[in-house]
Amino acid sequence: MTHTVTLPLWLFALILLFAAVTALSHFLLPSVRWFFRRRFEKAVDRLNVRLKRPIQPFKLARRHDMIQRLIYDPEVSREIALYAEKNKVPDNVAFQKAREYAREIVPSFSAFAYFSFAMRLAKVVAESVYRIRTAAQNDGVFAAIPENSTPVFVMNHRSNMDYVLVTYLASKTSTLSYAVGEWARVWPLSALIRMWGAYFIRRRSRGSLYRKVLSRYVQMATNGGDTQAFYPEGGLSLTGKLQPPKVGLLSYLVDGFDPEGARDIVFVPVAINYDRVLEDRVLMAAHERGDRRFGARISVVVAFIVRKFWRRLRGHDTRFGTAAVAFGEPISLRSYGKVENVDALSQLLMARIEAVMPVLGVPLVATVLRGQGPLTAPALEQAVQVLASTLPAKSVVIDMSEIAMEVTAACMHMAQHGLIELRNGVWHIMAGQEIATQFYANSIAHYLPEGPHGIDAATANDLSAPAGS
């Protein structure tokens, strides 16, 4: 026992390495993890004090635990067995497929990444690109939602800036979990989006196993009080008008709702409108082709943001007018009663989004010029004022007491965007920009009866028919 043992230096170094790893994994790392976990829990407790809707335990669960809970869910297990039988594969192969779907869907939320980085980034980006305006009723609508309910924001989809804008506006009240399409599944954006609590969905997947895993995750998150946000249109509007809703995610929420349960689901219609949609040319080109293939790359988006920041640092006003958000009248799923027809519920939600759509300067000017032709600046101001007075007052975002300034600013933004031009004191729509101008007018077209201040039905529907029809 006391004899000297001679070892090669490489073997001695290997033994020391194994000993160090063992000590690290069994003694040091658990203590470090416990220390940081305690600090994290205290930070979340302090954060929850200032949030109107505190972060729920479901959202703070470890990603691995959520994946395990999801794939061992009884409904998912039954679907795994059906998948194995239908596709004539072993159960373990079907189980592995469900695990892949779960890993693809389940986010890895980080409160630190969300509040220390995502919120600040969203604020800087949103305020660098737009002047932000919110409807007067927004705070009251959100405050009225009972604490034992799960809010679900149901939004129209005008731009990819919608994500940034609503996340920024909701940062003082709660965290949001978005359903994000496959466009964002690129590194490093995908990792950041997962840390911010969003989950990826396959828009074109028709497999029953995938749909079951996705539906059960959405239902678990909602039942756990995790505030949700989704776009019933299923994608960006190519025409500027609200598109017919898809009922996929909505049907998952309805199917998983227990009217006798402790937690209600409250749908909050959210209407978003812009003086300028950043992707407008891309969207109109896709509509003209009759497809939804968007040519914009993530590198183009990043380069655009960097240029805007650089110009802002140099003292230039880089904003593209106003972006506005308005909350509509919520719908309690418990008060709604048994949902016999999900399509009817989705149509009601879209109608409530339409009812509070913000009316901005650019859509007003576009509507008047499309309906009445070239106008001098004073005539345009008067026509915009008359048109705005016929619309719901709570939806008109512009300052009616400063109508001249508002119209001038809208015209300047449209001229910089290449939509209109001033010739001999008269504002004209530029040649070839009729469809682009209609794109903006369409955002408020549902408010307008056919008449001298509006646009006729045929014109309003110019962008609604597929290309080549």
Side-chain angles (χ1 to χ4, degrees):
M1 294 292 293
T2 59
H3 293 173
T4 302
V5 177
T6 303
L7 295 174
L9 181 60
W10 65 267
L11 181 58
F12 179 68
L14 190 61
I15 292 172
L16 286 180
L17 178 61
F18 278 122
V21 170
T22 301
L24 192 66
S25 61
H26 284 75
F27 300 104
L28 184 57
L29 284 183
S31 300
V32 171
R33 281 196 296 266
W34 177 86
F35 173 76
F36 282 106
R37 183 71 181 178
R38 289 293 298 166
R39 288 179 62 89
F40 170 75
E41 290 173 352
K42 290 179 180 179
V44 170
D45 289 340
R46 290 194 299 270
L47 185 61
N48 281 338
V49 170
R50 72 173 180 84
L51 292 176
K52 292 181 180 179
R53 306 194 70 86
I55 304 173
Q56 298 298 317
F58 175 90
K59 202 170 187 69
L60 299 175
R62 291 195 311 163
R63 182 167 182 262
H64 172 77
D65 295 339
M66 278 306 309
I67 291 173
Q68 294 298 104
R69 177 183 170 188
L70 184 57
I71 59 180
Y72 284 105
D73 179 79
E75 292 188 33
V76 174
S77 296
R78 283 194 293 271
E79 196 61 49
I80 289 173
L82 291 174
Y83 178 91
E85 180 180 353
K86 179 180 178 180
N87 293 276
K88 296 180 173 53
V89 297
D91 288 346
N92 64 320
V93 174
F95 183 83
Q96 185 59 34
K97 177 63 69 174
R99 184 189 295 274
E100 291 175 6
Y101 290 152
R103 290 180 59 84
E104 182 180 296
I105 294 168
V106 176
S108 52
F109 175 75
S110 166
F112 175 79
Y114 191 92
F115 287 98
S116 67
F117 177 65
M119 292 303 97
R120 293 176 183 175
L121 178 62
K123 182 177 187 295
V124 170
V125 172
E127 293 183 346
S128 296
V129 181
Y130 298 107
R131 296 178 183 87
I132 312 299
R133 293 184 181 176
T134 58
Q137 74 269 16
N138 287 6
D139 289 342
V141 167
F142 196 78
I145 299 174
E147 292 185 4
N148 62 341
S149 301
T150 300
V152 177
F153 291 96
V154 183
M155 306 176 290
N156 68 304
H157 204 3
R158 291 276 283 157
S159 168
N160 284 314
M161 278 295 294
D162 297 345
Y163 296 98
V164 177
L165 187 60
V166 178
T167 298
Y168 160 50
L169 294 178
S171 61
K172 295 181 180 179
T173 58
S174 68
T175 59
L176 290 182
S177 289
Y178 280 103
V180 179
E182 294 169 288
W183 63 269
R185 198 176 291 145
V186 294
W187 188 90
L189 187 60
S190 59
L192 291 173
I193 286 176
R194 287 190 190 282
M195 286 193 294
W196 297 344
Y199 55 96
F200 295 103
I201 61 174
R202 299 184 183 185
R203 299 289 186 188
R204 299 178 181 84
S205 177
R206 296 294 182 266
S208 58
L209 178 57
Y210 175 80
R211 292 199 301 271
K212 178 57 69 176
V213 175
L214 175 60
S215 67
R216 287 302 296 146
Y217 172 75
V218 172
Q219 291 161 5
M220 287 178 181
T222 308
N223 293 334
D226 188 14
T227 303
Q228 302 289 303
F230 73 96
Y231 303 98
E233 294 168 288
L236 292 166
S237 171
L238 305 184
T239 66
K241 302 179 72 173
L242 291 183
Q243 305 302 296
K246 297 177 173 60
V247 298
L249 285 176
L250 182 60
S251 65
Y252 297 158
L253 293 170
V254 170
D255 292 343
F257 178 65
D258 180 9
E260 305 299 325
R263 189 175 290 277
D264 190 10
I265 294 177
V266 178
F267 296 108
V268 182
V270 181
I272 307 172
N273 206 0
Y274 299 91
D275 270 334
R276 178 172 174 182
V277 174
L278 301 184
E279 314 92 329
D280 56 0
R281 305 291 185 184
V282 174
L283 298 175
M284 287 183 284
H287 180 73
E288 185 177 357
R289 293 192 306 268
D291 60 39
R292 298 192 66 87
R293 295 194 302 271
F294 304 134
R297 300 183 302 276
I298 189 64
S299 59
V300 176
V301 176
V302 172
F304 169 81
I305 293 173
V306 170
R307 286 198 302 271
K308 299 294 286 184
F309 284 166
W310 175 244
R311 293 196 64 200
R312 191 70 184 273
L313 289 173
R314 294 168 62 190
H316 298 287
D317 187 354
T318 60
R319 290 173 290 190
F320 292 139
T322 299
V325 180
F327 293 173
E329 183 183 353
I331 297 177
S332 162
L333 195 52
R334 180 171 292 154
S335 300
Y336 185 87
K338 185 176 181 181
V339 181
E340 302 287 352
N341 187 339
V342 179
D343 287 305
L345 176 59
S346 67
Q347 293 292 344
L348 176 59
L349 288 167
M350 295 302 287
R352 293 197 177 182
I353 292 173
E354 272 194 341
V356 293
M357 182 63 64
V359 178
L360 304 176
V362 168
L364 283 169
V365 171
T367 299
V368 169
L369 290 179
R370 286 287 287 166
Q372 300 186 34
L375 294 170
T376 63
L380 180 58
E381 291 170 15
Q382 183 179 6
V384 168
Q385 186 169 21
V386 171
L387 173 59
S389 67
T390 67
L391 306 179
K394 69 176 183 180
S395 296
V396 178
V397 175
I398 64 172
D399 185 354
M400 295 300 293
S401 66
E402 298 287 349
I403 189 67
M405 182 185 68
E406 294 278 7
V407 172
T408 300
C411 289
M412 290 298 100
H413 289 306
M414 296 178 73
Q416 291 171 4
H417 194 26
L419 302 182
I420 63 176
E421 61 181 345
L422 186 64
R423 298 200 304 263
N424 300 321
V426 177
W427 284 108
H428 295 258
I429 296 175
M430 294 184 67
Q433 298 303 314
E434 292 80 9
I435 290 180
T437 308
Q438 187 64 58
F439 177 88
Y440 287 95
N442 275 345
S443 66
I444 60 171
H446 59 280
Y447 285 129
L448 307 176
E450 190 175 334
H453 302 299
I455 48 179
D456 59 78
T459 303
N461 290 320
D462 277 348
L463 285 174
S464 299
S469 63

